Amino acid sequence: MSSGGNAGANAGWGGTYFLAMIGSAVWFWQQADGFWEHVGALLQAIVWPAFLIYDLFELLNA
């Protein structure tokens, strides 16, 4: 049984987010110098959209 009418329409955004996460992981990885900085780079790659939206809202609020 189908759970929704437009579930397939939203599937493309998952792939887009995955590619953006891989790209940001490469970017942050290249900027890191030590072991813990590389661990932090991987964590940053996962949560960077939250910081992007936060900064956007701060910009709109100013």
Side-chain angles (χ1 to χ4, degrees):
M1 180 167 273
S2 177
S3 63
N6 64 354
N10 293 328
W13 287 110
T16 302
Y17 179 75
F18 178 73
L19 289 175
M21 194 169 47
I22 295 298
S24 65
V26 169
W27 170 261
F28 290 129
W29 188 271
Q30 290 175 349
Q31 306 302 318
D33 278 332
F35 173 77
W36 289 111
E37 286 188 18
H38 284 98
V39 171
L42 295 177
L43 293 174
Q44 279 182 314
I46 295 170
V47 298
W48 71 267
F51 289 106
L52 178 71
I53 297 300
Y54 179 80
D55 289 341
L56 178 66
F57 284 154
E58 287 224 339
L59 181 68
L60 292 174
N61 193 24

